[in-house]
Amino acid sequence: MRIILKGSKVKSKLTEKVEKISGQNIFACYQCGKCSAGCPMIDSMDYMPNQAMKLLQMGAAEEIINSKTMWMCASCHTCSVRCPRDIDLSAVMEALRLIYLRTNVNKVEPSQIPEEELKDLPQIALVCNFRKMTR
Ligand code: SF4
Ligand code: SF4
């Protein structure tokens, strides 16, 4: 991963891309944890929202892009309302998903879902998954 040094900050190309797409200043986060404390999806995430911000600040965007966190985010905006630095974290999560989807790799392959499971899955969950996780 290419790292760019800017003053005292370390920025990766991916972090710059996340900032550009989301319109958010990743380095404004000071790790208060309020976003994670209010996140309703926290139990399903492998990195908490504030940890995702820390990874982005450290230039480790690939780590978070390959995690479950951005897919578990329900875009409820609770974190954005609670953030004392006015960071729209749901926009950051959306940017991460977009960057992943632009790699043109299907996260969910419809033809691989067993028929038995398809019978029980709510249609809305399938539509949501296909919209978020397929090309
Ligand atoms: S927008 Fe996503 S990260 Fe933020 S509180 Fe809601 S589920 Fe959690
Ligand atoms: S609430 Fe805002 S400042 Fe606090 S950890 Fe989350 S993103 Fe960072």
Side-chain angles (χ1 to χ4, degrees):
M1 187 190 338
R2 190 164 157 232
I3 302 291
I4 298 173
L5 290 171
K6 284 192 174 173
S8 60
K9 295 173 180 173
V10 179
K11 266 194 185 182
S12 74
K13 277 281 183 199
L14 270 174
T15 302
E16 284 194 339
K17 204 183 267 190
V18 171
E19 285 192 321
K20 198 171 176 187
I21 294 172
S22 67
Q24 305 303 305
N25 177 5
I26 300 296
F27 289 86
C29 169
Y30 61 1
Q31 288 295 305
C32 68
K34 281 192 160 199
C35 49
S36 299
C39 178
M41 299 304 291
I42 198 91
D43 290 343
S44 307
M45 293 175 171
D46 34 15
Y47 291 110
M48 295 186 290
N50 69 300
Q51 290 176 324
M53 293 297 282
K54 190 67 191 171
L55 284 168
L56 288 169
Q57 288 176 340
M58 291 166 61
E62 279 176 12
E63 185 80 18
I64 189 70
I65 277 176
N66 290 313
S67 76
K68 285 196 299 185
T69 293
M70 63 191 189
W71 303 109
M72 292 300 128
C73 169
S75 302
C76 69
H77 293 275
T78 305
C79 49
S80 316
V81 172
R82 291 171 62 94
C83 179
R85 303 307 301 268
D86 286 332
I87 299 168
D88 185 352
L89 224 155
S90 57
V92 172
M93 296 290 182
E94 176 68 8
L96 290 165
R97 289 193 292 266
L98 284 174
I99 290 168
Y100 182 93
L101 290 173
R102 286 175 190 173
T103 62
N104 284 340
V105 176
N106 279 348
K107 191 84 169 169
V108 171
E109 183 51 64
S111 62
Q112 301 298 311
I113 302 174
E115 245 179 72
E116 279 307 304
E117 277 183 35
L118 272 178
K119 278 186 209 160
D120 294 334
L121 283 172
Q123 284 193 349
I124 189 69
L126 287 170
V127 171
C128 177
N129 269 291
F130 295 154
R131 280 189 61 200
K132 269 185 168 179
M133 304 185 189
T134 59
R135 284 177 260 163

